[in-house]
PDB file of all heavy atoms in Angstrom:
ATOM      1  N   ASP A  15     -19.265 -55.441  13.506  1.00  0.00           N
ATOM      2  CA  ASP A  15     -18.151 -54.920  14.318  1.00  0.00           C
ATOM      3  C   ASP A  15     -16.936 -54.592  13.467  1.00  0.00           C
ATOM      4  O   ASP A  15     -16.420 -53.507  13.611  1.00  0.00           O
ATOM      5  CB  ASP A  15     -17.789 -55.802  15.489  1.00  0.00           C
ATOM      6  CG  ASP A  15     -18.955 -56.009  16.463  1.00  0.00           C
ATOM      7  OD1 ASP A  15     -19.826 -55.171  16.674  1.00  0.00           O
ATOM      8  OD2 ASP A  15     -18.986 -57.148  16.940  1.00  0.00           O
ATOM      9  N   ILE A  16     -16.576 -55.515  12.644  1.00  0.00           N
ATOM     10  CA  ILE A  16     -15.475 -55.355  11.833  1.00  0.00           C
ATOM     11  C   ILE A  16     -15.573 -54.166  10.859  1.00  0.00           C
ATOM     12  O   ILE A  16     -14.652 -53.296  10.735  1.00  0.00           O
ATOM     13  CB  ILE A  16     -15.162 -56.711  11.032  1.00  0.00           C
ATOM     14  CG1 ILE A  16     -14.751 -57.854  11.975  1.00  0.00           C
ATOM     15  CG2 ILE A  16     -14.116 -56.537   9.915  1.00  0.00           C
ATOM     16  CD1 ILE A  16     -14.818 -59.316  11.309  1.00  0.00           C
ATOM     17  N   GLU A  17     -16.671 -54.014  10.292  1.00  0.00           N
ATOM     18  CA  GLU A  17     -16.953 -52.916   9.313  1.00  0.00           C
ATOM     19  C   GLU A  17     -16.982 -51.628  10.018  1.00  0.00           C
ATOM     20  O   GLU A  17     -16.358 -50.618   9.617  1.00  0.00           O
ATOM     21  CB  GLU A  17     -18.315 -53.147   8.652  1.00  0.00           C
ATOM     22  CG  GLU A  17     -18.213 -54.340   7.661  1.00  0.00           C
ATOM     23  CD  GLU A  17     -19.556 -54.586   6.838  1.00  0.00           C
ATOM     24  OE1 GLU A  17     -20.697 -54.184   7.455  1.00  0.00           O
ATOM     25  OE2 GLU A  17     -19.620 -55.338   5.839  1.00  0.00           O
ATOM     26  N   LYS A  18     -17.490 -51.499  11.233  1.00  0.00           N
ATOM     27  CA  LYS A  18     -17.512 -50.349  12.014  1.00  0.00           C
ATOM     28  C   LYS A  18     -16.146 -49.906  12.508  1.00  0.00           C
ATOM     29  O   LYS A  18     -15.749 -48.779  12.356  1.00  0.00           O
ATOM     30  CB  LYS A  18     -18.371 -50.441  13.267  1.00  0.00           C
ATOM     31  CG  LYS A  18     -19.883 -50.565  12.876  1.00  0.00           C
ATOM     32  CD  LYS A  18     -20.694 -50.765  14.083  1.00  0.00           C
ATOM     33  CE  LYS A  18     -22.211 -50.920  13.637  1.00  0.00           C
ATOM     34  NZ  LYS A  18     -23.125 -51.227  14.861  1.00  0.00           N
ATOM     35  N   ILE A  19     -15.379 -50.931  12.812  1.00  0.00           N
ATOM     36  CA  ILE A  19     -13.874 -50.482  13.254  1.00  0.00           C
ATOM     37  C   ILE A  19     -13.133 -49.996  12.025  1.00  0.00           C
ATOM     38  O   ILE A  19     -12.447 -48.952  12.006  1.00  0.00           O
ATOM     39  CB  ILE A  19     -13.129 -51.741  13.781  1.00  0.00           C
ATOM     40  CG1 ILE A  19     -13.886 -52.120  15.175  1.00  0.00           C
ATOM     41  CG2 ILE A  19     -11.629 -51.528  13.945  1.00  0.00           C
ATOM     42  CD1 ILE A  19     -13.516 -53.513  15.729  1.00  0.00           C
ATOM     43  N   CYS A  20     -13.346 -50.737  10.844  1.00  0.00           N
ATOM     44  CA  CYS A  20     -12.579 -50.280   9.689  1.00  0.00           C
ATOM     45  C   CYS A  20     -13.159 -48.801   9.153  1.00  0.00           C
ATOM     46  O   CYS A  20     -12.277 -48.144   8.678  1.00  0.00           O
ATOM     47  CB  CYS A  20     -12.766 -51.217   8.455  1.00  0.00           C
ATOM     48  SG  CYS A  20     -11.785 -52.854   8.896  1.00  0.00           S
ATOM     49  N   LEU A  21     -14.284 -48.646   9.230  1.00  0.00           N
ATOM     50  CA  LEU A  21     -15.008 -47.338   8.872  1.00  0.00           C
ATOM     51  C   LEU A  21     -14.317 -46.324   9.777  1.00  0.00           C
ATOM     52  O   LEU A  21     -14.038 -45.229   9.385  1.00  0.00           O
ATOM     53  CB  LEU A  21     -16.453 -47.416   8.970  1.00  0.00           C
ATOM     54  CG  LEU A  21     -17.200 -46.113   8.524  1.00  0.00           C
ATOM     55  CD1 LEU A  21     -16.814 -45.939   7.011  1.00  0.00           C
ATOM     56  CD2 LEU A  21     -18.694 -46.293   8.728  1.00  0.00           C
ATOM     57  N   TYR A  22     -14.278 -46.481  11.131  1.00  0.00           N
ATOM     58  CA  TYR A  22     -13.671 -45.510  12.018  1.00  0.00           C
ATOM     59  C   TYR A  22     -12.280 -45.308  11.616  1.00  0.00           C
ATOM     60  O   TYR A  22     -11.926 -44.099  11.629  1.00  0.00           O
ATOM     61  CB  TYR A  22     -13.626 -46.148  13.491  1.00  0.00           C
ATOM     62  CG  TYR A  22     -13.117 -45.305  14.477  1.00  0.00           C
ATOM     63  CD1 TYR A  22     -13.916 -44.267  15.033  1.00  0.00           C
ATOM     64  CD2 TYR A  22     -11.773 -45.389  14.837  1.00  0.00           C
ATOM     65  CE1 TYR A  22     -13.494 -43.332  16.069  1.00  0.00           C
ATOM     66  CE2 TYR A  22     -11.270 -44.398  15.824  1.00  0.00           C
ATOM     67  CZ  TYR A  22     -12.187 -43.468  16.396  1.00  0.00           C
ATOM     68  OH  TYR A  22     -11.679 -42.635  17.294  1.00  0.00           O
ATOM     69  N   LEU A  23     -11.415 -46.315  11.262  1.00  0.00           N
ATOM     70  CA  LEU A  23     -10.072 -46.104  10.885  1.00  0.00           C
ATOM     71  C   LEU A  23      -9.911 -45.122   9.624  1.00  0.00           C
ATOM     72  O   LEU A  23      -9.022 -44.379   9.599  1.00  0.00           O
ATOM     73  CB  LEU A  23      -9.414 -47.403  10.561  1.00  0.00           C
ATOM     74  CG  LEU A  23      -9.131 -48.331  11.813  1.00  0.00           C
ATOM     75  CD1 LEU A  23      -8.584 -49.624  11.369  1.00  0.00           C
ATOM     76  CD2 LEU A  23      -8.265 -47.649  12.832  1.00  0.00           C
ATOM     77  N   THR A  24     -10.952 -45.335   8.651  1.00  0.00           N
ATOM     78  CA  THR A  24     -10.847 -44.465   7.528  1.00  0.00           C
ATOM     79  C   THR A  24     -11.530 -43.091   7.589  1.00  0.00           C
ATOM     80  O   THR A  24     -11.103 -42.206   6.855  1.00  0.00           O
ATOM     81  CB  THR A  24     -11.500 -45.321   6.276  1.00  0.00           C
ATOM     82  OG1 THR A  24     -12.827 -45.452   6.638  1.00  0.00           O
ATOM     83  CG2 THR A  24     -10.836 -46.548   6.097  1.00  0.00           C
ATOM     84  N   LYS A  25     -12.321 -42.976   8.596  1.00  0.00           N
ATOM     85  CA  LYS A  25     -13.084 -41.625   8.726  1.00  0.00           C
ATOM     86  C   LYS A  25     -12.165 -40.625   9.508  1.00  0.00           C
ATOM     87  O   LYS A  25     -12.359 -39.502   9.312  1.00  0.00           O
ATOM     88  CB  LYS A  25     -14.268 -41.851   9.579  1.00  0.00           C
ATOM     89  CG  LYS A  25     -15.471 -42.463   8.719  1.00  0.00           C
ATOM     90  CD  LYS A  25     -16.606 -42.629   9.453  1.00  0.00           C
ATOM     91  CE  LYS A  25     -17.189 -41.392  10.081  1.00  0.00           C
ATOM     92  NZ  LYS A  25     -18.605 -41.703  10.739  1.00  0.00           N
ATOM     93  N   ILE A  33      -1.972 -46.284   8.037  1.00  0.00           N
ATOM     94  CA  ILE A  33      -2.525 -47.453   7.407  1.00  0.00           C
ATOM     95  C   ILE A  33      -1.638 -47.715   6.179  1.00  0.00           C
ATOM     96  O   ILE A  33      -1.614 -46.984   5.227  1.00  0.00           O
ATOM     97  CB  ILE A  33      -3.948 -47.205   6.862  1.00  0.00           C
ATOM     98  CG1 ILE A  33      -4.835 -46.815   8.156  1.00  0.00           C
ATOM     99  CG2 ILE A  33      -4.595 -48.374   6.118  1.00  0.00           C
ATOM    100  CD1 ILE A  33      -6.235 -46.481   7.818  1.00  0.00           C
ATOM    101  N   ASP A  40      -6.953 -54.300   2.411  1.00  0.00           N
ATOM    102  CA  ASP A  40      -7.825 -55.220   3.234  1.00  0.00           C
ATOM    103  C   ASP A  40      -9.083 -54.390   3.780  1.00  0.00           C
ATOM    104  O   ASP A  40     -10.205 -54.858   3.770  1.00  0.00           O
ATOM    105  CB  ASP A  40      -7.034 -55.838   4.298  1.00  0.00           C
ATOM    106  CG  ASP A  40      -6.114 -56.808   3.892  1.00  0.00           C
ATOM    107  OD1 ASP A  40      -6.399 -57.710   3.097  1.00  0.00           O
ATOM    108  OD2 ASP A  40      -4.929 -56.807   4.302  1.00  0.00           O
ATOM    109  N   ILE A  41      -8.877 -53.219   4.292  1.00  0.00           N
ATOM    110  CA  ILE A  41      -9.961 -52.404   4.750  1.00  0.00           C
ATOM    111  C   ILE A  41     -10.885 -52.136   3.695  1.00  0.00           C
ATOM    112  O   ILE A  41     -12.271 -52.190   3.940  1.00  0.00           O
ATOM    113  CB  ILE A  41      -9.385 -51.131   5.494  1.00  0.00           C
ATOM    114  CG1 ILE A  41      -8.657 -51.676   6.798  1.00  0.00           C
ATOM    115  CG2 ILE A  41     -10.425 -50.061   5.767  1.00  0.00           C
ATOM    116  CD1 ILE A  41      -7.750 -50.525   7.482  1.00  0.00           C
ATOM    117  N   SER A  42     -10.336 -51.696   2.521  1.00  0.00           N
ATOM    118  CA  SER A  42     -11.230 -51.413   1.351  1.00  0.00           C
ATOM    119  C   SER A  42     -12.163 -52.560   1.003  1.00  0.00           C
ATOM    120  O   SER A  42     -13.282 -52.377   0.743  1.00  0.00           O
ATOM    121  CB  SER A  42     -10.406 -50.949   0.285  1.00  0.00           C
ATOM    122  OG  SER A  42     -11.176 -50.660  -0.913  1.00  0.00           O
ATOM    123  N   ILE A  44     -13.107 -54.907   3.117  1.00  0.00           N
ATOM    124  CA  ILE A  44     -14.137 -55.101   4.077  1.00  0.00           C
ATOM    125  C   ILE A  44     -15.325 -54.189   3.944  1.00  0.00           C
ATOM    126  O   ILE A  44     -16.376 -54.501   4.170  1.00  0.00           O
ATOM    127  CB  ILE A  44     -13.338 -55.040   5.509  1.00  0.00           C
ATOM    128  CG1 ILE A  44     -12.423 -56.174   5.701  1.00  0.00           C
ATOM    129  CG2 ILE A  44     -14.467 -54.881   6.591  1.00  0.00           C
ATOM    130  CD1 ILE A  44     -11.485 -55.913   6.864  1.00  0.00           C
ATOM    131  N   LEU A  45     -14.935 -52.943   3.509  1.00  0.00           N
ATOM    132  CA  LEU A  45     -15.973 -51.907   3.522  1.00  0.00           C
ATOM    133  C   LEU A  45     -16.744 -51.896   2.252  1.00  0.00           C
ATOM    134  O   LEU A  45     -17.719 -51.155   1.923  1.00  0.00           O
ATOM    135  CB  LEU A  45     -15.343 -50.490   3.662  1.00  0.00           C
ATOM    136  CG  LEU A  45     -14.836 -50.294   5.056  1.00  0.00           C
ATOM    137  CD1 LEU A  45     -14.074 -48.934   5.195  1.00  0.00           C
ATOM    138  CD2 LEU A  45     -15.851 -50.500   6.181  1.00  0.00           C
ATOM    139  N   TRP A  62      -9.979 -59.155   7.633  1.00  0.00           N
ATOM    140  CA  TRP A  62     -10.003 -58.689   8.977  1.00  0.00           C
ATOM    141  C   TRP A  62      -8.734 -59.275   9.784  1.00  0.00           C
ATOM    142  O   TRP A  62      -8.032 -58.542  10.529  1.00  0.00           O
ATOM    143  CB  TRP A  62     -11.337 -58.802   9.799  1.00  0.00           C
ATOM    144  CG  TRP A  62     -11.152 -58.531  11.225  1.00  0.00           C
ATOM    145  CD1 TRP A  62     -11.274 -59.458  12.190  1.00  0.00           C
ATOM    146  CD2 TRP A  62     -10.900 -57.290  11.779  1.00  0.00           C
ATOM    147  NE1 TRP A  62     -11.092 -58.798  13.397  1.00  0.00           N
ATOM    148  CE2 TRP A  62     -10.782 -57.509  13.138  1.00  0.00           C
ATOM    149  CE3 TRP A  62     -10.569 -56.028  11.281  1.00  0.00           C
ATOM    150  CZ2 TRP A  62     -10.535 -56.551  14.083  1.00  0.00           C
ATOM    151  CZ3 TRP A  62     -10.408 -55.142  12.222  1.00  0.00           C
ATOM    152  CH2 TRP A  62     -10.325 -55.158  13.525  1.00  0.00           C
ATOM    153  N   VAL A  65      -5.686 -57.540   9.051  1.00  0.00           N
ATOM    154  CA  VAL A  65      -5.677 -56.107   9.595  1.00  0.00           C
ATOM    155  C   VAL A  65      -5.403 -56.318  11.218  1.00  0.00           C
ATOM    156  O   VAL A  65      -4.614 -55.579  11.825  1.00  0.00           O
ATOM    157  CB  VAL A  65      -7.023 -55.316   9.386  1.00  0.00           C
ATOM    158  CG1 VAL A  65      -7.006 -54.060  10.244  1.00  0.00           C
ATOM    159  CG2 VAL A  65      -7.167 -55.051   7.955  1.00  0.00           C
TER     160      VAL A  65
END
Side-chain angles (χ1 to χ4, degrees):
D15 295 331
I16 293 167
E17 289 174 344
K18 288 175 184 173
I19 292 166
C20 290
L21 186 60
Y22 182 87
L23 293 174
T24 60
K25 283 176 63 174
I33 299 174
D40 291 313
I41 291 170
S42 179
I44 291 166
L45 295 175
W62 167 247
V65 173

